[in-house]
Amino acid sequence: MQQTARIFVAGHRGLVGSALVRRLEAEGYRNLLLRTRQELDLRDPEATMRFFAEERPEYVFLAAAKVGGIHANNSQPADFLLDNLAIQNSLVQASYRTGVRKLLFLGSSCIYPKRCPQPIREEYLLTGSLEATNEAYAIAKIAGLKLCESFNRQYGTNYLAVMPTNLYGPGDNYDLETSHVLPALIRKMHEAKLRGAKTVTLWGTGTPCREFLYSDDLADACVFLMQRYDAAQLGGPINVGVGADVTIKDLARAIARVVGFEGTLDFDPSMPDGTPRKLLDVTRLTALGWRPRVDLETGLELAYQSFLAESRVLV
């Protein structure tokens, strides 16, 4: 990508999109095309096509999506499926029709089967049943990945698909009704500390294992791939992660230390755990020369400071 290239970051206000903007600007890219949801509804194919026809982006980072944790996915499956399919379809078709040079599609590690060998390699896709609690979102992301592959095969486009592990960082969603586990734990621990609570009750058994990648590391990986590799070179989707995981119980303890919550942690086994383990095999990406920079302890400190700044909470 030339530094003067016209680059559209779809979803630039979200966790991933905002990290992509920070990374691109740090590398000297200034011709960024950014639109809020109010300015451009990416679910609307006609509005999306008008934007592409007028602005003519050369590169597209497709980071826009309807996202959420177990509760949100469980309670709004139709919305997760419809909204994500609409966004992907609009953007990919508009990119093709206006001659976008390269597109990078952000998928999710939830596309892989619930019970597949660990760590999860890219070729395990579609080899088993999905986790029921986020099936709708996973199906939408699988469709987006296959849409990119199909356009590449039929039309010779250059659409990359990356599958990141669980993400966290600045700009995360801390709404307890819709957030993922890590930001939800940060908010719960913080509010418990302010109340002087002696106990925090958390969903599930605490035994599932999860891998966590700092959002700025994902952005670095995405820009690395967009600058250096074509879809044909990658030969399919590519995992992005750290290659190590942690139990939810140990994660909760680490967050309690960072936040300064000194009470006890109780787990409610009557609530769902989700997938037992979800660790990505990142061999393909590391073989290309990329590795994450932010370890979990440092990332949690940074995420908590971002939470305090974004929520304007005084402690």
Side-chain angles (χ1 to χ4, degrees):
M1 289 189 299
Q2 298 295 319
Q3 289 192 325
T4 56
R6 298 175 67 76
I7 303 170
F8 178 39
V9 181
H12 75 283
R13 284 187 167 180
L15 175 63
V16 177
S18 60
L20 282 167
V21 170
R22 287 193 297 274
R23 187 74 190 111
L24 289 165
E25 289 181 341
E27 293 208 9
Y29 293 98
R30 291 292 180 268
N31 204 357
L32 303 183
L33 305 174
L34 310 175
R35 295 293 186 276
T36 65
R37 189 178 305 171
Q38 291 71 35
E39 293 170 324
L40 175 61
D41 185 350
L42 294 171
R43 297 170 300 179
D44 183 340
E46 293 183 1
T48 303
M49 185 60 213
R50 282 196 302 272
F51 166 75
F52 271 71
E54 292 169 3
E55 298 294 341
R56 294 286 168 172
E58 299 169 76
Y59 297 87
V60 173
F61 289 89
L62 205 174
K66 180 178 177 62
V67 298
I70 289 178
H71 176 72
N73 275 272
N74 246 340
S75 58
Q76 306 166 42
D79 291 346
F80 273 83
L81 191 56
L82 286 171
D83 284 359
N84 285 302
L85 287 174
I87 291 168
Q88 296 160 188
N89 291 347
S90 293
L91 277 165
V92 171
Q93 291 183 82
S95 294
Y96 170 67
R97 290 172 63 187
T98 58
V100 165
R101 295 178 62 182
K102 190 182 291 189
L103 176 147
L104 188 142
F105 170 73
L106 269 297
S108 168
S109 59
C110 73
I111 66 168
Y112 294 112
K114 178 176 182 177
R115 300 186 186 278
C116 64
Q118 303 285 325
I120 304 170
R121 299 172 63 176
E122 288 88 350
E123 56 262 37
Y124 296 160
L125 179 64
L126 298 176
T127 59
S129 301
L130 299 167
E131 160 60 37
T133 55
N134 60 11
E135 183 182 61
Y137 180 74
I139 288 173
K141 286 298 181 180
I142 292 170
L145 184 162
K146 290 299 181 182
L147 185 64
C148 290
E149 288 185 349
S150 298
F151 266 78
N152 290 343
R153 188 170 73 247
Q154 185 172 345
Y155 299 115
T157 51
N158 190 4
Y159 300 163
L160 292 67
V162 302
M163 301 300 122
T165 190
N166 301 285
L167 302 170
Y168 69 104
D172 214 336
N173 171 25
Y174 295 96
D175 184 332
L176 295 180
E177 291 296 312
T178 58
S179 62
H180 288 102
V181 60
L182 193 152
L185 288 175
I186 287 177
R187 179 172 173 179
K188 280 192 171 186
M189 301 288 185
H190 174 74
E191 291 182 348
K193 182 183 75 169
L194 292 186
R195 294 194 311 268
K198 296 182 178 180
T199 303
V200 168
T201 300
L202 306 174
W203 275 26
T205 63
T207 59
C209 293
R210 291 291 182 272
E211 176 185 18
F212 295 96
L213 178 69
Y214 193 64
S215 58
D216 284 12
D217 273 342
L218 172 63
D220 184 66
C222 289
V223 174
F224 170 85
L225 291 169
M226 187 74 109
Q227 289 173 329
R228 294 169 175 82
Y229 294 95
D230 292 337
Q233 291 174 286
L234 296 178
I238 188 162
N239 291 337
V240 184
V242 299
D245 57 8
V246 61
T247 66
I248 297 300
K249 187 172 291 185
D250 286 342
L251 173 70
R253 290 169 177 163
I255 290 174
R257 288 195 301 272
V258 168
V259 171
F261 173 69
E262 298 178 348
T264 59
L265 305 178
D266 288 342
F267 288 84
D268 181 359
S270 69
M271 302 306 288
D273 269 336
T275 304
R277 192 183 187 202
K278 194 166 59 172
L279 174 64
L280 294 183
D281 184 317
V282 293
T283 304
R284 291 183 61 205
L285 182 57
T286 56
L288 297 176
W290 185 87
R291 282 176 174 77
R293 302 174 184 177
V294 181
D295 62 83
L296 184 60
E297 197 73 28
T298 302
L300 291 178
E301 292 277 2
L302 293 170
Y304 183 50
Q305 293 308 312
S306 294
F307 165 75
L308 294 178
E310 291 165 19
S311 57
R312 298 192 176 96
V313 177
L314 297 177
V315 293

